[in-house]
Amino acid sequence: MDSLIPFTTSGALVDCVDRKMLVVLRDGRKLHGVLRSYDQFANLVLEDTVERIYHGNAFAEHWHGLFLIRGENVVLLGEIDLDQEDDIPLRQVDYNVLDPYHKMDIADRKGREDFKARVLYEQKGFCKEGGEGDGY
Amino acid sequence: MLPLSLLSAAQNKPMLVELKNGETFNGHLVNCDNFMNITLREVYQTSADGDRFWKLKECYIRGSTVTCAQIKYLRVPDTLLDSVKEEQARAREASRSARGAGPGSRGGPCLYFHALPRI
């Protein structure tokens, strides 16, 4: 009976607690941190959170500390394999160096999505997305 | 400790709250509720682009608009976390002894929250 707990709604994330996880948020942010706690809405408490941004063959990190994330903003949660964690084929650079490129990427992507949404709305009869859209 | 319990335990601590539209609010937590609605005081509000700033004495933020409450510089003394855990343990002891003393049957074991890990 005890082994069925991971299949219940309240015990769904019990196997992820105290593990290093990757959290992708709806605004496109990728956060790495140790999952400390969760609740029925998938609100998460993430400790030692690091935000990572990518551009080309480089990546950068920014330490954020203790995070309480509202569950509805989470796209996915993935466990990080600590053995493979450091085998990254990209080179690490300073956050301030990569940030402008990252913001440029986001703006480009947003432009493309907006254009796509407009075409779908005007020509194909799709309805408009609800407000904030999804940055990921 | 459940996420909302952590938030309640952070009352009077400084924190940063980011909204879904990207605006950030830096202030001290006055109160919060189960819907994650929060009130902050001595708040510095920053627009999403980071170019405009406001200072607010108090503000109320509806839970549904929050992305993440980034408890950045929460000086969580481990003593605070321990004292909250102690309180919870004491409360549990108190209710357990009260139930034991009272009449009525005890029923079967309850699986729900005993299954959740406590930190």
Side-chain angles (χ1 to χ4, degrees), chain A residues 53 55 58-60 91-102:
Chain A
I53 56 175
H55 177 81
F59 76 95
R91 58 192 174 89
Q92 181 161 12
V93 296
D94 203 42
Y95 187 81
N96 303 311
V97 170
L98 209 58
D99 196 36
Y101 294 100
H102 181 243

Side-chain angles (χ1 to χ4, degrees), chain A residues 23 25 31 34-39 41-49 64-71 73-74, chain B residues 1-10 15-18 29 32-33 35-36 38 63 66-72 74:
Chain A
V23 182
L25 299 184
L31 304 173
V34 181
L35 180 67
R36 283 303 180 198
S37 154
Y38 68 96
D39 63 10
F41 306 110
N43 294 329
L44 311 170
V45 173
L46 219 60
E47 199 180 20
D48 289 331
T49 313
H64 279 292
L66 183 62
F67 253 76
L68 195 162
I69 305 174
R70 195 175 160 85
N73 301 288
V74 175
Chain B
M1 181 188 270
L2 297 176
L4 284 173
S5 318
L6 182 69
L7 191 57
S8 311
M15 66 168 62
L16 188 156
V17 179
E18 175 160 340
L29 182 70
C32 64
D33 65 10
F35 304 104
M36 219 186 273
I38 50 185
V66 173
T67 313
C68 44
Q70 183 191 52
I71 308 179
K72 219 177 196 176
L74 178 67

Side-chain angles (χ1 to χ4, degrees), chain B residues 30-55:
Chain B
V30 173
N31 216 337
C32 64
D33 65 10
N34 288 329
F35 304 104
M36 219 186 273
N37 299 329
I38 50 185
T39 47
L40 303 168
R41 58 177 167 84
E42 301 303 316
V43 183
Y44 289 91
Q45 177 185 355
T46 310
S47 67
D49 303 319
D51 54 359
R52 271 167 294 144
F53 303 88
W54 295 267
K55 177 150 194 269

